[in-house]
Amino acid sequence: MVDLSVRIKDLVFKNPVLTASGTCGFGEEIADFVDLAMLGGVVMKGTTLKPRQGNDYPRMAETPSGMLNAVGLQNKGVDNFIQNIYPNIKDIDSNFIVNVNGSTIEEYIELTERINELDKIPAIELNISCPNVKEGGMAFGVSCPSAEAVVKAVRRVYDKPLIVKLSPNVTNIAEIAKAVEGQGADSVSLVNTFLGMAVDANSRKPVLSTITGGLSGPAIKPIALRMVWQVYQAVQIPVIGMGGIMNATDAIEFMLAGASAVQVGTAIFIDPTIPTQIVEGIDSYMEKNKMHSMSDLIGGLQM
């Protein structure tokens, strides 16, 4: 039997495949198509302290081998999550993780304290990497001092596993990873989307209302893979990899490069069952290669 379980701090995931925040709502949205209990976890849509309307339309655009999005963290706020979402997902046999966002450190702290009160939310993903908001978000994730400040503040008020989501829009992502590890992060997830742009030649205008947006999908996979490998070399905490993972082979490549787990995002828009297909594919690969646990696979890149 192959043991697909992985651990972050004291939190056990039955397998290393999670959904990426912003690609399947709060999990309920794809529950008719996939058994969420088959996944290691569901990282839910970005949540803020107060409701956010998000950016003006158009805010999504298809690109070669990927997509741009500039949704801007549209959500109904933490009160709505606690009252209307949490009761529906709290008893599903998977790890439901809240993606926490703020414009100020004070907002991050208050939101984290609210989430910490929910017994069935075993971890948060602290998003310091969103490229589609005008303040906060990525601004905290692009320098070591600002990343350290927000992680240190949140760590003081949060005693469960803390995953920090990193921006790829930096010169040296390994330095940022080491900085947040030093302030108490239990894991880092990477990469978030790359800042990109689309232009309509006929109208001679930007396609997105925000002009720029976040690029995801297969187009970013080679860069994301490189960054995961670099961060794995630099930190002692588990790395969660993402960026263009479309199938089990992609996921296995990320884990060979050092990822303890992976998140699947853009692929879900094509087929919401892809994450469960990836679980099955990893299991088959490990059985074929006589691997018994994830430690046989993680960081197994032959140099």
Side-chain angles (χ1 to χ4, degrees):
M1 294 290 292
V2 176
D3 180 7
L4 294 181
S5 66
V6 294
R7 180 185 295 268
I8 294 176
K9 198 178 179 181
D10 56 355
L11 176 60
V12 176
F13 297 83
K14 66 181 72 173
N15 63 65
V17 182
L18 295 76
T19 64
S21 178
T23 59
C24 65
F26 294 99
E28 298 176 295
E29 290 82 348
I30 63 170
D32 289 340
F33 306 99
V34 60
D35 181 1
L36 299 175
M38 291 182 63
L39 300 176
V42 175
V43 184
M44 294 178 283
K45 181 176 176 60
T47 300
T48 53
L49 192 60
K50 303 295 182 183
R52 288 184 64 102
Q53 294 302 312
N55 295 319
D56 293 336
Y57 292 90
R59 56 191 190 185
M60 298 187 79
E62 187 173 356
T63 66
S65 297
M67 63 178 288
L68 286 166
N69 96 83
V71 174
L73 298 175
Q74 179 181 352
N75 74 103
K76 295 182 180 179
V78 69
D79 287 337
N80 179 76
F81 172 76
I82 292 171
Q83 295 166 15
N84 299 314
I85 305 297
Y86 178 67
N88 299 329
I89 56 95
K90 66 182 181 67
D91 294 321
I92 298 175
D93 184 23
S94 188
N95 293 306
F96 280 76
I97 297 169
V98 176
N99 181 272
V100 169
N101 297 265
S103 296
T104 65
I105 289 179
E106 289 73 22
E107 285 186 10
Y108 276 107
I109 292 171
E110 186 174 350
L111 176 56
T112 299
E113 288 176 329
R114 299 289 303 280
I115 299 300
N116 200 28
E117 296 172 357
L118 304 176
D119 292 339
K120 297 296 183 69
I121 301 298
I124 62 171
E125 182 178 64
L126 188 69
N127 189 2
I128 59 172
S129 57
C130 182
N132 301 318
V133 293
K134 294 180 180 178
E135 57 180 357
M138 190 172 68
F140 285 106
V142 295
S143 77
C144 290
S146 58
E148 287 175 329
V150 67
V151 173
K152 181 178 181 179
V154 169
R155 179 79 282 176
R156 286 198 191 107
V157 300
Y158 192 70
D159 54 9
K160 300 175 187 176
L162 173 60
I163 303 164
V164 179
K165 190 168 187 178
L166 303 182
S167 171
N169 300 293
V170 295
T171 303
N172 189 333
I173 195 168
E175 286 186 354
I176 305 290
K178 288 169 64 177
V180 301
E181 178 185 33
Q183 296 302 324
D186 297 306
S187 173
V188 286
S189 58
L190 61 143
V191 298
N192 206 329
T193 54
F194 287 82
L195 198 60
M197 180 178 177
V199 171
D200 185 328
N202 293 317
S203 67
R204 290 176 282 176
K205 294 180 178 180
V207 173
L208 299 175
S209 67
T210 52
I211 304 178
T212 61
L215 177 66
S216 64
I220 73 169
K221 179 192 160 192
I223 314 173
L225 197 58
R226 181 262 297 175
M227 289 185 166
V228 164
W229 176 75
Q230 287 178 319
V231 168
Y232 174 69
Q233 306 299 315
V235 300
Q236 301 300 312
I237 55 178
V239 176
I240 301 174
M242 72 191 92
I245 296 174
M246 306 298 290
N247 51 50
T249 300
D250 290 337
I252 290 163
E253 291 171 7
F254 271 83
M255 287 184 280
L256 287 170
S260 294
V262 296
Q263 292 182 15
V264 183
T266 300
I268 292 174
F269 294 123
I270 300 170
D271 180 352
T273 70
I274 285 178
T276 53
Q277 293 176 35
I278 290 175
V279 174
E280 295 168 356
I282 293 171
D283 184 77
S284 296
Y285 174 88
M286 293 181 64
E287 185 173 354
K288 178 182 177 180
N289 288 277
K290 297 180 172 55
M291 297 178 177
H292 302 292
S293 69
M294 293 305 301
S295 62
D296 296 326
L297 179 59
I298 297 165
L301 192 64
Q302 301 296 309
M303 304 297 288

